[in-house]
Every structure is written in structure tokens, then in C-alpha cells.
Amino acid sequence: MSKLSVSHLLGIKYLTTSDIELIFETASHFKEVINRPIKKVPSLRDVTIANLFFENSTRTKLSFELAQKRLSADVINFSASNSSVKKGESLIDTVNNILSMKVDMVVMRHPNPGAAMFLSKHVDASIVNAGDGAHEHPTQALLDCFSIREKLGDIAGKKVVIVGDILHSRVALSNIFALKKLGAEVMVCGPLTLIPKHIESLGVTVETNLQKALQWADVANVLRVQFERMRTSFFPSNREYAMQYGITKQLVEQLDNDLLIMHPGPINRGVEISSDVADSEHAIILDQVENGVAVRMAILYLLASKIEQ
Ligand code: CP
């Protein structure tokens, strides 16, 4: 059996193109499994996984938990908001206490960039980064690329524009790494206040005109405006943002090209995307969520096979 080159999933930056292809191949198999009447397989029986969420989540948390249960793993869930973290317990103390209960893998979401990397250097378990601040969200990028490949056949040569709040987005950085490794052309589009300086050094182009960007693209991955990470205003008002950078039905209908529209969720309806576009046949937002379970099953299965060596 082929193996991943890594023992942890900390970021797309650390994966090879062969790792990504192996994850996709394994995810395709698991997608077939979870569409059977009996959706559960015994692959991770006797593997114990802790899901540690220090930041809110709906999709990622539920998707990991379902993936683990479909693989027959034993699962424990931890949310910082109702834990002893509130009494001042440190990250390392929290995790070491959980690991002393004989946990093999840790899935962690944390508001600090680098938290998953830090953990991987200090504890004896396989670490999966479920989002670390505005740094990386590798499983989101993998499920996004898997979904593009499923709809368009291949990623190499495809034109993908990432629209919106690039500055505060871990989804943007992980998507840029993954799409570039798989041979896509990548553009970012948004107000210059929400585009990091020197982003071109990652091999992407910058466009501030949304209409031009959408006309160029095969795929638009529309990002949420991350109000919770903003300590100051980056644009005059939500209404103005929606007028300049919101994806509307009128904009989509003006295009000559057949655009695939994605969004990692949660959506600010009426800000970065209108409801009629989010719910239209152009959008594959719920397909992304469905694929998230298969992709996370693949990652957990492949990382667990490294533990057993
Ligand atoms: N896409 C995503 O990470 O969603 P959640 O924050 O709900 O997990």
C-alpha cells in the first residue's frame, strides 16, 4: 500500500503532489463506501481520536466526527468553551492529560497560527490541523480540490479565482498551495485592503475587478468576510462590499463562461454571495460538505496506517 510522506497533516505546504493524489484516490474509495446501505468499515477499530476545538466550528467538527465513526474509531470530543482551559489550563497540559488516556490521533482547531505544528513537536500522537488561525486549513483545501476535480475532471490548467477576504483566510492559503501543486492557474480578487502584500510571490495574480476575475475563471471560490478577525474596518460598509465584491445572479448571468461557484461556509448571505447564487445550480457548496467526510476519512485512514508501522 502507498504511504503518505508525512506523519501529521499540519498544512498543504508540507504535502507532496503524490500525497494529494493518494488522498484523492483513497477519498474516492471512501465516497463509494459512504454511499452504500452499510456505511461503516472497521478500518480504524482500536484507534482512539481526540477532537480538540479551541475555536467554533460546524462543518469541520461534525465532518471529522462522522468520518471517524464511519471508520469505527473511538472518538472523544473537547470544546475549549466548556473545559478547564477556562480555568487557565495550558494547551500542552490539556493535550497531555487527554493523551494520558491513550489517544492515538488529535484533530485540533485553534485560533493561533502554528498551534498544530507546536503540538506535533511536543506530544506523541499524530496531529491533524483542522484550522490554525489565519494560517492553514488543509482538509478544507483538499475537499475543495477534490470537489473541483469531481466536477471538472482535472485541476491542471484550470483557472481558479479566490474571491474576498484573502487576508484573514486560512482557506485561501491552503487552497493556493494545493491548487498550485496540482497545476491550476490561481487568481485572488478582492479589495486591496483584504489582499496580503506580496501575495504574488506565491505564484498567484491579483485582480480588483470582480467582473473581470469571474470572466477569466472556470471556478470561483468565494470566501466569507471574517468579521470576527477584524479589529478595524477594511471597507466602508457591508452594503458597499456587497456592491463591489458580492457574487450576484446578475453578475453570473452576464458571464460568457460556465462558472463553478464554491464557498467553504459559513456563508454571510447577501454580503459575499447572494442567496439566489448560493442556492443555484452553479454552486456546489453542499457537494463540498459531502466530499469533506470522504476526504477526512482518507486522511485519518492514511495517517493511522503510519502510526501502526
Ligand atoms: N469551512 C469550515 O471550516 O467551516 P466550520 O468553521 O463550520 O468548520
Side-chain angles (χ1 to χ4, degrees):
M1 180 196 144
S2 301
K3 298 265 181 193
L4 291 175
S5 68
V6 291
S7 302
H8 309 279
L9 179 63
L10 303 178
I12 301 290
K13 197 174 5 187
Y14 308 107
L15 296 182
T16 64
T17 306
S18 305
D19 288 332
I20 298 175
E21 293 295 347
L22 176 60
I23 292 167
F24 287 173
E25 196 183 306
T26 313
S28 297
H29 165 71
F30 283 129
K31 182 155 183 185
E32 193 197 306
V33 168
I34 59 179
N35 280 293
R36 290 180 195 158
I38 297 170
K39 300 171 172 57
K40 207 163 170 168
V41 287
S43 313
L44 295 196
R45 213 170 43 200
D46 300 328
V47 174
T48 304
I49 307 177
N51 297 316
L52 312 187
F53 279 72
F54 293 82
E55 214 185 50
N56 294 341
S57 169
T58 297
R59 278 145 292 272
T60 311
K61 190 163 183 275
L62 294 177
S63 178
F64 265 115
E65 191 174 340
L66 191 57
Q68 292 153 1
K69 289 179 172 168
R70 296 276 189 251
L71 292 167
S72 307
D74 292 321
V75 181
I76 54 173
N77 289 307
F78 165 94
S79 286
S81 56
N82 55 10
S83 74
S84 291
V85 168
K86 290 283 173 207
K87 301 175 201 162
E89 192 164 31
S90 72
L91 174 61
I92 288 290
D93 282 345
T94 302
V95 175
N96 275 329
N97 274 275
I98 291 167
L99 290 183
S100 66
M101 301 176 204
K102 306 289 176 238
V103 167
D104 304 295
M105 299 176 83
V106 173
V107 174
M108 184 174 74
R109 168 166 290 189
H110 199 280
N112 295 346
M117 172 67 85
F118 174 79
L119 206 59
S120 72
K121 292 189 186 309
H122 289 89
V123 302
D124 184 22
S126 182
I127 310 296
V128 181
N129 181 4
D132 58 334
H135 179 222
E136 280 228 39
H137 191 350
T139 58
Q140 182 69 46
L142 290 165
L143 75 89
D144 288 344
C145 289
F146 184 84
S147 303
I148 296 173
R149 207 177 71 142
E150 189 176 66
K151 296 292 173 192
L152 301 184
D154 198 3
I155 291 191
K158 295 294 181 302
K159 295 175 176 167
V160 181
V161 62
I162 305 173
V163 181
D165 183 359
I166 316 293
L167 186 67
H168 300 102
S169 175
R170 52 193 172 213
V171 175
L173 189 59
S174 289
N175 261 272
I176 290 169
F177 287 139
L179 289 163
K180 295 295 294 178
K181 282 176 197 258
L182 295 169
E185 286 184 58
V186 185
M187 174 185 281
V188 294
C189 177
L192 284 176
T193 49
L194 290 177
I195 294 183
K197 288 189 178 66
H198 312 300
I199 195 162
E200 292 94 338
S201 65
L202 298 177
V204 305
T205 53
V206 176
E207 173 60 69
T208 53
N209 182 309
L210 180 62
Q211 198 170 4
K212 281 190 193 163
L214 297 183
Q215 190 62 67
W216 170 86
D218 300 305
V219 180
N221 197 348
V222 185
L223 301 181
R224 183 172 67 89
V225 178
Q226 300 205 21
F227 295 108
E228 76 278 16
R229 294 193 203 280
M230 297 179 183
R231 289 201 182 86
T232 178
S233 293
F234 287 78
F235 44 84
S237 66
N238 287 359
R239 190 166 165 270
E240 190 146 330
Y241 183 90
M243 282 169 66
Q244 294 242 13
Y245 291 103
I247 313 280
T248 60
K249 191 174 173 201
Q250 190 192 6
L251 252 181
V252 173
E253 282 178 353
Q254 279 169 7
L255 300 172
D256 305 324
N257 46 334
D258 200 8
L259 187 68
L260 195 67
I261 296 172
M262 307 173 71
H263 194 304
I267 301 172
N268 294 312
R269 286 176 183 263
V271 182
E272 69 265 2
I273 191 166
S274 65
S275 275
D276 48 12
V277 175
D279 302 330
S280 74
E281 73 282 4
H282 295 281
I284 59 162
I285 298 168
L286 294 180
D287 301 87
Q288 291 170 257
V289 177
E290 183 188 343
N291 286 335
V293 178
V295 167
R296 291 184 172 109
M297 284 173 81
I299 291 159
L300 295 167
Y301 172 79
L302 291 165
L303 286 175
S305 73
K306 303 272 296 196
I307 300 170
E308 285 155 13
Q309 272 179 347

